[in-house]
Amino acid sequence: MNAPTTRRLTVAQALVEFLAHQYTERDGRRHRLINACWGIFGHGNVAGLGQALLESGDALPYLQGRNEQAMVHAAVGYARQRDRLGAQAVTTSIGPGATNLVTGAALATVNRLPVLLLPGDTFATRPADPVLQQLEVPFAGDVSVNDALRPVSRYFDRVTRPEALIPAALQAMRVLADPVDTGAVTLALPQDVQAEAYDWPEEFFADRVWRIPRPAPDADALAEAVRALRGARRPLVIAGGGVHHSEAEDALCAFADATGIPVASTQAGKGSLRHDHPADVGGIGHTGTATADALAREADLVLGVGTRYTDFTTASSTLFAAPGVRFVNLNIASFDAHKLGALSLVADARAGLEALTKELSGERVDTEYEAAYRAAKADWERRVDAAYGAADPSVRPSQTQVLGALDALVDDTDVIINAAGSLPGDLHKLWRARSRRQYHLEYGYSCMGYEIPAAIGVRLAAPDRPVWALVGDGTYLMNPTELVTAVQEGIHINVVLVQNHGYASIGGLSQATGGERFGTDYRFRAGDGTYTGAPLPVDLAANAASLGMQVLRAATVGELRAALAEARGANRPTCVYVETETADTVPGAPEAQAWWDVPVAETATRPAAVAAREAYDRHTAGRRRHL
């Protein structure tokens, strides 16, 4: 018998070689699982993974980042654009490089998007103790700062021996490719182990395919769901991010065409139907449309497809108000399928929708119900037109008019990226999504600073699509550094930088909850701590230009339209800078159509807080548990 073939490589070299041979497969189409590795090098990874990536050449392309958190955001943007069928890795040094991954890891796991984290770690053999950047824990010698990644990772392992890499790497790939369990996966790599050589079995480096199935619904559960839908007079579909991840948009369209049931969407699910589909009624929940929220209040049956039912979707459990409302949840994750006391239909979104459509063929909602929601949809579209505004081209635009100018320019190929501030609410209510992956809102974690690096990741995943990162001044100041990466790599992203001199979203929330906008403005302070009203002499456009971006300043609506068109046709990373009017001075987006629970002080001396508490108590009285 011949001895098994082995290859002598370091742990880092073996890991890079292994990653280059991992694939996913769904519907007979194969995809590279780990397409590139982002990295910032330090003493925890420069001589291990750094050397291995250099030696591998194009087998695992290397991408240079400027901020560890931002590298994770870029990888997450890439994975979402690839429908979770492809992902990227991120390597850092030990110490602050590793802990900077925590926010990005939390974002990935909350949103259930795959990213492989490869932080360096302190010596496994402990030749010197402590080493530079080592956390000393008196009661546990095996703890390092990387343990902070455990609660925000879907899988975590520390590879303290070369041979331990084999099971750890296989488990990591299993989780990354699993549509239920995916999220951030962390393999902590002690720096001495990275450089240690081992005789690896050749089979470890063979092409490996991780097949992603489309599980069909259980026959009995399907029959019960069909009976519930047939008995409903005012049904409503809520499309979540699972529709996109499953590539189930066509199946949802066929279901809506066959049944006439209206379709509302979460932030992650927006674009599941085109905005001009007759059954699309827009966003739902606190940032939703009046049409969708009115339907939700009266619905006697809600079919949730691929949604987690966050508090923004349910208006903090106050939205679904019909006395006998029932829920049917189609979700590949049993955990989500059972929420709100629902009849659970555990299945792939596409497979489940196709099964429901087949069973309900020829059955439609009442014509009066269909006519009513279509009329309400048309009325909402008129409100969108008013918010976007046919403004005088010589005036300064409002934020909603910025969106209107962009809406008038883009086509089906553009991708719009946002995550935090006041823009998500305006976008969810107003944006007219034209294609399945045009609307890219990270609202599971709503992380300031996500937009610019995510735009880079999306552009890497879809190099032929125009990509727009919409950022406010607060978000921009959180994380502008990856503009340098876009410039260095020649990645053409467009950044629309909206300057409104403060945290507009939280300022509005502070006002509504009795906080009187305390701590939310970017203005000079007087000696007593009050704001003088004068804006700070901060030039964010000049900052973006100093980082290598082409910057187009737009002071008026007319200049904005011209700048956006120029940016879309440019061949280099471009920033459109615009200072907006406040919502108090020009017509803006319609107010929130549903409540959101932010607790207000139960006792206070200032009148604003007392009044806010009275309003809060009125809203909480309408909360209910669906059991």
Side-chain angles (χ1 to χ4, degrees):
M1 176 180 284
N2 294 327
T5 304
T6 61
R7 199 187 317 178
R8 191 161 183 81
L9 299 170
T10 69
V11 168
Q13 292 163 354
L15 177 58
V16 169
E17 177 76 5
F18 170 83
L19 294 177
H21 290 274
Q22 305 303 302
Y23 297 87
T24 59
E25 184 177 284
R26 186 168 69 184
D27 301 331
R29 291 175 296 172
R30 186 171 294 189
H31 310 264
R32 177 82 176 266
L33 177 51
I34 305 297
N35 292 268
C37 183
W38 289 91
I40 297 175
F41 294 119
H43 68 92
N45 63 345
V46 66
L49 274 171
Q51 184 277 333
L53 288 166
L54 172 65
E55 193 170 89
S56 73
D58 294 333
L60 186 64
Y62 167 71
L63 298 166
Q64 184 180 30
R66 268 75 193 172
N67 175 281
E68 290 87 358
Q69 177 182 321
M71 293 192 298
V72 184
H73 293 337
V76 167
Y78 178 93
R80 176 167 168 171
Q81 187 66 29
R82 292 291 312 277
D83 299 321
R84 307 193 299 187
L85 298 171
Q88 294 178 328
V90 178
T91 181
T92 71
S93 66
I94 64 176
T99 52
N100 280 351
L101 295 173
V102 173
T103 296
L107 181 148
T109 297
V110 166
N111 287 281
R112 302 177 190 179
L113 292 165
V115 60
L116 176 61
L117 307 180
L118 304 172
D121 212 328
T122 52
F123 285 81
T125 54
R126 305 183 191 179
D129 194 18
V131 298
L132 178 65
Q133 298 177 321
Q134 179 176 336
L135 172 69
E136 292 186 274
V137 180
F139 60 83
D142 63 343
V143 170
S144 80
V145 296
N146 285 334
D147 288 275
L149 286 159
R150 288 182 183 271
V152 292
S153 297
R154 294 297 288 174
Y155 179 78
F156 179 97
D157 203 351
R158 180 177 282 112
V159 182
T160 57
R161 290 291 306 144
E163 56 268 37
L165 176 65
I166 294 176
L170 291 171
Q171 288 292 341
M173 297 305 104
R174 176 192 64 79
V175 174
L176 289 172
D178 191 317
V180 175
D181 285 339
T182 196
V185 168
T186 300
L187 295 181
L189 303 170
Q191 58 178 310
D192 52 344
V193 177
Q194 287 181 51
E196 189 173 345
Y198 183 74
D199 293 322
W200 305 91
E202 194 66 44
E203 293 88 345
F204 186 54
F205 307 119
D207 286 356
R208 189 178 300 269
V209 179
W210 302 87
R211 289 184 173 82
I212 301 175
R214 292 192 179 276
D218 172 76
D220 291 339
L222 176 64
E224 190 174 353
V226 169
R227 285 194 296 271
L229 285 162
R230 282 177 176 153
R233 293 177 55 83
R234 298 180 306 279
L236 174 67
V237 172
I238 298 178
V243 175
H244 291 310
H245 298 327
S246 175
E247 299 177 277
E249 296 87 358
D250 289 345
L252 178 61
C253 183
F255 177 84
D257 289 342
T259 64
I261 299 176
V263 177
S265 56
T266 68
Q267 285 279 18
K270 191 174 174 75
S272 295
L273 289 183
R274 276 185 58 100
H275 74 95
D276 52 4
H277 189 284
D280 179 71
V281 294
I284 191 168
H286 177 62
T287 54
T289 69
T291 308
D293 286 351
L295 289 168
R297 292 185 180 97
E298 298 179 357
D300 57 357
L301 185 136
V302 176
L303 172 61
V305 184
T307 177
R308 298 189 298 130
Y309 287 109
T310 67
D311 61 341
F312 260 63
T313 297
T314 67
S316 299
S317 299
T318 63
L319 186 57
F320 306 107
V325 62
R326 299 176 63 193
F327 295 84
V328 176
N329 291 340
L330 168 57
N331 204 297
I332 198 166
S334 174
F335 177 78
D336 294 312
H338 283 86
K339 288 177 178 176
L340 302 180
L343 165 63
S344 62
L345 203 58
V346 180
D348 170 74
R350 180 194 288 183
L353 284 167
E354 289 173 346
L356 288 171
T357 303
K358 181 179 178 181
E359 293 295 323
L360 295 168
S361 178
E363 302 183 40
R364 293 185 65 84
V365 296
D366 184 82
T367 56
E368 291 183 3
Y369 180 59
E370 193 169 359
Y373 78 68
R374 290 191 181 190
K377 170 184 170 69
D379 180 66
W380 183 262
E381 286 301 317
R382 288 188 286 271
R383 296 177 70 177
V384 174
D385 289 337
Y388 281 171
D392 179 345
S394 66
V395 302
R396 178 184 290 178
S398 67
Q399 180 167 283
T400 56
Q401 288 164 347
V402 172
L403 299 182
L406 191 57
D407 174 82
L409 175 69
V410 302
D411 62 25
D412 293 15
T413 62
D414 294 73
V415 180
I416 310 299
I417 301 173
N418 187 240
S422 57
L423 276 165
D426 289 351
L427 286 161
H428 199 205
K429 294 186 193 81
L430 304 176
W431 188 258
R432 291 161 169 158
R434 294 159 172 80
S435 59
R436 61 179 302 269
R437 277 299 187 194
Q438 179 175 87
Y439 188 85
H440 184 123
L441 260 285
E442 188 288 295
Y443 217 56
Y445 208 49
S446 189
C447 185
M448 296 176 70
Y450 172 81
E451 295 89 344
I452 291 171
I456 293 172
V458 169
R459 183 74 180 190
L460 290 171
D464 297 328
R465 300 188 67 167
V467 178
W468 303 84
L470 309 186
V471 299
D473 49 342
T475 288
Y476 180 84
L477 288 167
M478 284 276 185
N479 197 7
T481 55
E482 298 316 303
L483 293 180
V484 178
T485 300
V487 171
Q488 176 180 350
E489 302 295 334
I491 302 170
H492 177 202
I493 61 170
N494 296 313
V495 176
V496 180
L497 176 50
V498 180
Q499 170 67 280
N500 56 23
H501 301 289
Y503 300 116
S505 174
I506 296 302
L509 182 62
S510 173
Q511 186 76 28
T513 56
E516 303 175 52
R517 296 184 180 267
F518 176 71
T520 62
D521 286 328
Y522 291 161
R523 291 182 291 170
F524 282 106
R525 284 176 179 256
D528 61 359
T530 60
Y531 294 108
T532 66
L536 298 176
V538 174
D539 190 342
L540 299 185
N543 177 263
S546 76
L547 298 178
M549 295 287 284
Q550 172 181 236
V551 176
L552 307 173
R553 294 176 183 258
T556 67
V557 170
E559 291 177 4
L560 173 65
R561 292 169 181 162
L564 292 173
E566 183 177 345
R568 193 172 187 273
N571 59 4
R572 56 176 291 194
T574 301
C575 173
V576 176
Y577 174 85
V578 57
E579 188 169 355
T580 59
E581 293 286 5
T582 66
D584 297 326
T585 57
V586 295
E591 294 182 354
Q593 304 298 306
W595 182 62
W596 181 46
D597 188 351
V598 176
V600 178
E602 193 168 359
T603 62
T605 57
R606 297 178 70 88
V610 173
R613 179 66 194 197
E614 292 172 353
Y616 179 80
D617 289 339
R618 289 194 298 272
H619 283 295
T620 56
R623 196 198 317 271
R624 61 184 291 192
R625 293 191 183 277
H626 300 282
L627 301 172

